[in-house]
């Protein structure tokens, strides 16, 4: 003991909480599982294939880029896998696999790694990749579904937002369960809500952004003369509000910042749905709010205890 | 009033039920002359002098300093300027013990008014025993006593493992209460609040009994949320007041005094025996027999560990203080000081520091900061070398409690970044000040020259 070298000296504190980056990302993957099961029921097993291809290609791009630029390998933190699954959830089940790989490249290399890797990107990788794919490929708007209720015979179908746009009515229950057209992970509000509850219980995310986002869309849809329940349950709102608008890196870390983010994203979503040339506005609105996030943080940071203004 | 955040650190109060046992007199004690904030004490003994327990060996040098007394009886064998083997700097008086622990004859000091009370506090050698080590006499010597609206007796003991203050409440209840009486009588305080975290029901019960019999103080049961015992947290949680930036608790009308500090003052005023020993919690994964031990000040840490059955070869990390704010020791030969309240020894598995990962801006450091600082931005501003940004984010308010590092899932040493950022901001502010002074001097010289012409 008199030998000083045996003792390990480090700055305080000397104990840590058990949470790690990998555990948090693992929790997000678990929370995404119900929606993946729903996707398999609604669109068939190809959903699994698309998700696997996206997750694997994201991981490969992350590994390759970090190897190439001699950065520390971050595969084990599972953030690339989360990006991959989220990207898959934003794609139609019929997407050619090579296009999905292009999406993974955009998400990991263009949006995440070129800005410095985890924690440094200003935009949500999966959302931005989805937008790039929508602009590039027509296949992104070919919505199909496998599980067809008796009495219908269509294979290709429009999304509920397209129906609503034409003034047709859509069953709220069908929307809630997810039995309708759309990208593969977005349709079942039920499954996504299960994931939301799990993330809340595990304290991975807080309730503010998703609840305020959905509430804002509900209220503003009513104000703009859209059926509010159907508006909330269709499109990528639940997926976006629960899993994309709560991304740590690209959304505010203050309570009021998260409220502002939710209100802003909700407003933009409804405006785009009502007046935009695309039927869906969730991804664009989240991306726009991502850009505002540093400012929202700056405006909403708390006054320190005893600190003068 | 909004609650201040914090972290739910594991309590690990394994020794809460163990009354303190005295350590047999060590072979030698090494008593540093600086165990407090302020000027080091001046040794008043010489090598070869025979000393007894309670004999003055170091005299306070100025208002912010403290007297130091021999903790064992024996012979002064060395007076060192430093000890390279352990990295200690500053004067150390080494006393070889005769094993008898014979004490000087003491008699209670005369205390009849505020001045004589403060003189007694000064003579007791007591400093902030919760860890800060600020000379208590200096803290209590306020210009205008009527400024003190609240005296808070700090018994929160929010650090994991440590139960020394808890045992003070239980083992030394009489002393604590006579301390409360002294404060009430000589400071004329309107409100004395004894703050105890609610995971110490026994201590709360004991104090409540005293308060019921003699209503000069009240017990506040505080939620067990680290860092409840932080001075600013206690004041805010008990009075709703925030200590203004760069000011003292007194500016918020409050004085916070640790419970063991109070008991030590009461012991001196009751018996004339100054501070010579300390109740220390010995615990941690390398300690087979955790205990509370009454340790003569200056005892080498390794002697205390040996008393608790610790095998030296199993210890990989040694802390003086708690796991949230305690200092890791480079050597087990270092002495127990006045403000030492715990010795924690950990095995290999608990000694490792996790690998630092990139920040993902989750904001947990922000939501857990009891000072409501924006840690995530401060660490980035520090790394980007932006002192102005550090000034705007008020990093100077950081109390270094460790909540940010504790809660960070990326395992970043944020508290360390905060400390470094504080130093960088101070350097920058000094630089700015020096530059302003230079320019003012230049301007003054110029005007003087012009006036002469």
């Amino acid at each position: 003991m008199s030998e000083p070298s045996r003792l390990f000296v480090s700055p305080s504190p000397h104990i840590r909480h058990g949470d790690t980056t990998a555990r948090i990302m693992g929790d997000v993957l678990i929370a995404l599982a119900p929606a993946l099961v729903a996707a398999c029921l609604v669109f068939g097993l190809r959903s699994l294939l698309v998700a696997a291809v996206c997750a694997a290609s994201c991981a490969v791009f992350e590994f390759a880029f970090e190897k190439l630029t001699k950065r520390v390998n971050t595969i084990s933190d599972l953030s690339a896998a989360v990006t991959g699954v989220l990207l898959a959830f934003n794609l139609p089940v019929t997407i050619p696999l090579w296009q999905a790989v292009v999406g993974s490249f955009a998400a990991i290399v263009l949006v995440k790694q070129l800005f410095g890797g985890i924690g440094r990107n200003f935009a949500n990788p999966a959302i931005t990749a989805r937008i790039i794919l929508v602009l590039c490929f027509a296949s992104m708007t070919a919505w199909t579904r496998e599980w067809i209720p008796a009495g219908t015979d269509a294979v290709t179908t429009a999304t509920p937002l397209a129906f609503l746009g034409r003034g047709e009515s859509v069953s709220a229950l069908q929307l809630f369960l997810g039995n309708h057209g759309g990208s593969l992970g977005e349709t079942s509000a039920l499954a996504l809500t299960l994931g939301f509850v799990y993330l809340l219980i595990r304290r991975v995310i807080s309730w503010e952004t998703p609840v305020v986002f959905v509430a804002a869309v509900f209220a503003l849809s009513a104000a703009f003369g859209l059926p509010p329940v159907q508006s909330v349950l269709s499109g990528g709102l639940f997926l976006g509000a629960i899993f994309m608008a709560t991304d740590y890196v690209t959304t505010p870390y203050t309570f009021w910042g998260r409220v502002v983010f939710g209100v802003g994203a909700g407003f933009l979503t409804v405006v785009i749905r009502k007046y935009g040339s695309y039927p869906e506005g969730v991804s664009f609105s989240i991306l726009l709010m991502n850009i505002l996030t540093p400012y929202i943080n700056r405006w909403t940071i708390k006054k320190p205890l005893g600190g003068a203004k | 009033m909004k609650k201040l955040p914090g972290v739910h650190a594991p309590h690990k109060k394994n020794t809460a039920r163990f009354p303190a046992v005295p350590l047999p007199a060590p072979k030698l004690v090494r008593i540093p002359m600086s165990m407090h904030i302020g000027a080091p004490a001046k040794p008043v003994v010489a090598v070869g002098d025979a000393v007894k327990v309670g004999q003055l060996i170091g005299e306070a040098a100025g208002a912010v300093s403290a007297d130091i007394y021999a903790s064992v009886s024996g012979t002064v064998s060395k007076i060192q300027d430093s000890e390279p083997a352990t990295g200690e700097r500053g004067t150390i008086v080494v006393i070889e013990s005769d094993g008898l622990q014979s004490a000087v004859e003491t008699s209670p000091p005369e205390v009849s008014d505020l001045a004589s009370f403060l003189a007694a506090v000064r003579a007791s050698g007591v400093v902030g025993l919760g860890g800060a080590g600020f000379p208590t006499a200096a803290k209590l010597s306020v210009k205008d006593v009527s400024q003190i609206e609240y005296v808070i007796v700090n018994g929160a003991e929010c650090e994991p493992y440590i139960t020394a203050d808890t045992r003070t409440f239980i083992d030394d209840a009489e002393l604590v209460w006579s301390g409360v009486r002294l404060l009430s009588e000589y400071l004329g305080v309107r409100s004395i609040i004894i703050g105890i975290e609610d995971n110490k029901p026994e201590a709360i019960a004991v104090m409540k009994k005293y308060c019921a019999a003699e209503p000069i103080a009240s017990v506040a049961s505080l939620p067990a949320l680290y860092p409840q015992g932080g001075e600013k947290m206690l004041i805010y949680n008990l009075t709703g007041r925030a200590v203004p930036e760069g000011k003292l608790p007194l500016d918020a009308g409050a004085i916070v005094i640790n419970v063991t500090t109070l008991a030590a003052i009461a012991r001196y005023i009751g018996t004339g025996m100054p501070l010579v020993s300390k109740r220390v919690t010995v615990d941690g994964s390398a300690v087979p027999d955790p205990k509370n031990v009454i340790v003569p000040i200056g005892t080498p840490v390794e002697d205390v560990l040996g008393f608790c059955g610790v095998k030296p070869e199993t210890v990989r990390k040694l802390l003086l203080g708690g796991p949230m704010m305690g200092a890791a020791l480079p050597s087990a030969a270092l002495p127990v000081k006045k403000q030492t309240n715990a010795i924690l020894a950990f095995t290999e598995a608990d000694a490792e520091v996790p690998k630092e990962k990139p920040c993902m801006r989750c904001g947990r450091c922000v939501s857990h900061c009891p000072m409501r600082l924006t840690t995530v931005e401060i660490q980035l501003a520090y790394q980007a070398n932006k002192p102005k940004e550090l000034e705007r984010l008020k990093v100077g308010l950081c109390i270094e409690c460790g909540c940010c590092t504790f809660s960070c899932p990326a395992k970043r040493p944020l508290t360390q970044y905060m400390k470094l950022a504080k130093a960088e901001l101070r350097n920058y502010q000094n630089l700015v000040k020096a530059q302003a002074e230079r320019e003012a001097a230049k301007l003054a010289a110029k005007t003087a020259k012009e006036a002469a012409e």
Side-chain angles (χ1 to χ4, degrees), chain B residues 409-453:
Chain B
K411 308 298 164 202
R412 298 172 69 73
L414 296 170
T415 312
Q416 195 184 3
Y417 285 136
M418 297 294 277
K419 291 179 194 172
L420 293 167
K422 280 165 83 172
E424 186 180 305
L425 178 60
R426 270 197 303 275
N427 285 344
Y428 168 77
Q429 286 169 335
N430 289 341
L431 221 68
V432 169
K433 215 173 124 192
Q435 201 172 357
E437 276 166 12
R438 261 204 312 278
E439 264 159 35
K442 228 192 263 173
L443 198 73
K446 208 172 142 194
T447 33
K449 207 175 148 194
E450 277 168 7
E453 281 166 5

Side-chain angles (χ1 to χ4, degrees), chain B residues 106-387:
Chain B
T106 58
S107 57
E110 290 256 337
V111 175
S112 55
D113 57 4
L114 179 62
S116 55
F117 171 64
L118 290 176
V121 173
R122 187 171 296 278
S124 69
V126 171
V127 300
L129 300 181
F134 188 77
T136 308
K139 182 190 266 188
L140 296 179
S141 302
V142 300
K143 269 192 205 130
D144 177 10
V145 186
S146 70
Q147 251 185 298
I148 310 171
E149 291 173 62
Y150 297 95
V151 167
I152 297 168
V153 178
N154 188 352
E157 201 160 55
C158 54
E159 276 268 14
Y161 293 101
I162 311 179
T163 61
D165 284 348
T166 311
R167 289 318 305 185
T168 298
F169 277 122
I170 302 164
D171 303 348
D172 290 342
E174 275 298 328
L175 283 179
V176 175
W177 195 253
S178 60
V180 169
R181 271 201 201 124
L182 290 166
L183 293 176
S184 157
E185 193 172 341
Y186 296 113
L187 296 181
V189 198
R190 275 168 263 173
S191 175
I192 299 178
I193 308 170
I194 305 169
I196 308 176
E197 276 193 350
D198 58 13
N199 61 352
K200 305 164 191 56
E202 206 182 341
I204 292 175
V206 169
M207 281 300 117
K208 276 199 165 151
K209 217 185 272 169
Y210 280 95
C211 290
E214 193 182 357
I216 50 170
S218 61
V219 178
S221 165
L222 300 159
L225 182 73
Y226 180 88
Q228 189 63 260
E231 195 166 60
K232 290 177 175 180
M233 282 74 243
L234 265 184
I235 294 172
Y236 182 82
N237 288 337
L238 291 175
T239 72
R241 297 179 184 182
V243 178
E245 195 177 352
K247 295 283 176 72
L248 293 170
L250 194 59
D251 294 296
I255 276 187
V256 179
I257 185 165
N258 168 271
V259 57
T260 300
T261 308
L262 188 61
I265 292 170
R267 172 175 283 127
Y268 177 72
I269 290 175
T271 66
M273 180 51 79
L275 181 65
V276 293
S277 62
K278 194 66 198 297
R279 187 184 280 100
V280 174
T281 300
V282 187
D283 202 344
S285 53
V287 181
D289 189 10
K291 279 188 176 67
N292 279 303
V293 186
I294 293 174
V295 183
I297 287 160
T299 304
V301 166
E302 54 199 349
D303 289 12
V304 186
L305 291 178
F307 180 66
C308 297
V310 176
K311 291 194 184 73
E313 64 277 8
T314 60
V315 179
R316 284 292 274 138
K317 198 176 221 181
L318 196 53
L319 305 180
L320 224 46
M324 291 301 287
M325 285 189 81
L329 297 185
S331 162
L334 286 161
V336 168
K337 296 183 187 177
K338 284 180 182 175
Q339 65 269 49
T340 303
N341 47 18
I343 297 170
L344 303 179
F346 293 99
T347 55
E348 185 84 48
D350 299 312
E352 280 166 22
V353 172
K355 237 178 120 187
E356 181 179 355
K357 295 265 169 67
C359 169
M360 53 176 168
R361 307 177 70 89
C362 65
R364 291 187 189 193
C365 52
V366 181
S367 59
H368 287 102
C369 177
M371 290 302 293
R372 302 198 197 115
L373 293 168
T374 310
T375 317
V376 57
E377 302 294 349
I378 292 172
Q379 54 139 1
L380 294 174
Y382 166 73
Q383 286 181 326
N385 204 350
K386 289 180 177 164

Side-chain angles (χ1 to χ4, degrees), chain A residues 160-242:
Chain A
L161 280 175
F163 284 126
L164 289 174
R166 294 199 294 268
E168 293 167 33
S169 69
V170 185
S171 149
L173 181 67
Q174 290 289 351
L175 285 175
F176 185 66
L177 295 175
N179 182 25
H180 55 82
S183 60
L184 69 88
E186 76 180 17
T187 62
S188 175
L190 171 66
L192 292 164
T193 306
L194 284 178
F196 179 50
V197 171
Y198 177 77
L199 290 180
L200 286 183
I201 291 171
R202 298 285 289 169
R203 290 170 179 263
V204 171
I205 62 170
S206 50
W207 61 270
E208 297 93 73
T209 313
V211 170
V212 173
F213 193 171
V214 171
V217 170
F218 184 90
L220 290 165
S221 295
F224 278 82
L226 300 166
V229 176
Q230 279 84 348
S231 294
V232 159
L233 293 175
S234 48
L237 181 59
F238 272 56
L239 177 62
I242 295 166

Side-chain angles (χ1 to χ4, degrees), chain B residues 37-119:
Chain B
I37 292 172
K42 284 198 196 88
V44 293
V45 287
V47 174
D49 284 4
V51 293
K52 288 183 170 179
V53 176
Q55 183 178 333
L56 186 74
I57 58 167
E59 200 174 47
V64 184
S65 186
D67 287 340
I68 292 168
Y69 296 88
S71 58
V72 294
S73 59
T75 316
V76 176
S77 64
K78 255 193 277 187
I79 297 179
Q80 297 172 281
D81 279 340
S82 64
E83 176 50 69
T86 56
E88 286 168 279
R89 279 184 277 180
T91 312
I92 307 157
V93 173
V94 184
I95 304 171
E96 263 173 41
S97 162
D98 58 15
L100 302 173
Q101 289 302 79
S102 46
V104 290
E105 294 221 348
T106 58
S107 57
E110 290 256 337
V111 175
S112 55
D113 57 4
L114 179 62
S116 55
F117 171 64
L118 290 176

